[in-house]
């Protein structure tokens, strides 16, 4: 169950990272409120997950899920470059997340 909670925390991290783009420097109220809610919920779920998961592993997986998801959505939503090097680096992050999960 802790892994599911951690994955949800990572998804919420993606939500707030993408949400930052829509806040227009925190000038738009609704995107700002939704981004802040996502931030708090993400950290709360991370806190719940680390009750049973090793802290270093949980934190690395949380940030990894957030990083990978944010980069992918940046490519899809904002036409950020999808170069071979960027995709290769994302693959390395995914491999690291999988490795940490397997050894936890």
């Amino acid at each position: 169950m802790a892994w599911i909670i951690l994955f949800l925390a990572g998804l919420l991290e993606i939500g707030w990272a993408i949400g930052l783009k829509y806040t227009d420097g925190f000038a738009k109220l609704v995107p700002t409120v939704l981004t802040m809610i996502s931030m708090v919920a993400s950290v709360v779920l991370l806190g719940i997950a680390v009750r049973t998961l090793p802290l270093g592993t949980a934190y690395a997986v949380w940030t990894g899920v957030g990083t990978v998801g944010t980069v992918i959505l940046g490519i899809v939503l904002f036409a950020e470059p999808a170069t071979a090097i960027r995709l290769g680096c994302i693959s390395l992050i995914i491999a690291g997340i999988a490795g940490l999960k397997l050894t936890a």
Side-chain angles (χ1 to χ4, degrees):
M1 188 65 174
W3 286 105
I4 293 169
I5 291 169
L6 182 60
F7 183 72
L8 291 174
L11 292 179
L12 287 167
E13 186 182 4
I14 296 166
W16 72 254
I18 295 298
L20 286 173
K21 187 80 166 171
Y22 292 103
T23 67
D24 194 27
F26 299 105
K28 295 181 179 176
L29 181 62
V30 172
T32 297
V33 169
L34 293 174
T35 298
M36 298 299 241
I37 289 169
S38 185
M39 284 178 176
V40 171
S42 179
V43 172
V44 166
L45 290 177
L46 173 63
I48 292 168
V50 299
R51 288 180 183 164
T52 55
L53 297 175
L55 175 62
T57 299
Y59 183 75
V61 170
W62 178 65
T63 58
V65 168
T67 301
V68 170
T70 301
V71 171
I72 291 170
L73 284 179
I75 291 167
V76 171
L77 298 174
F78 307 120
E80 294 178 359
T83 63
I85 292 174
R86 284 186 94 203
L87 296 176
C89 290
I90 292 299
S91 297
L92 290 172
I93 294 170
I94 292 169
I97 292 169
L100 286 170
K101 173 148 182 6
L102 291 171
T103 60

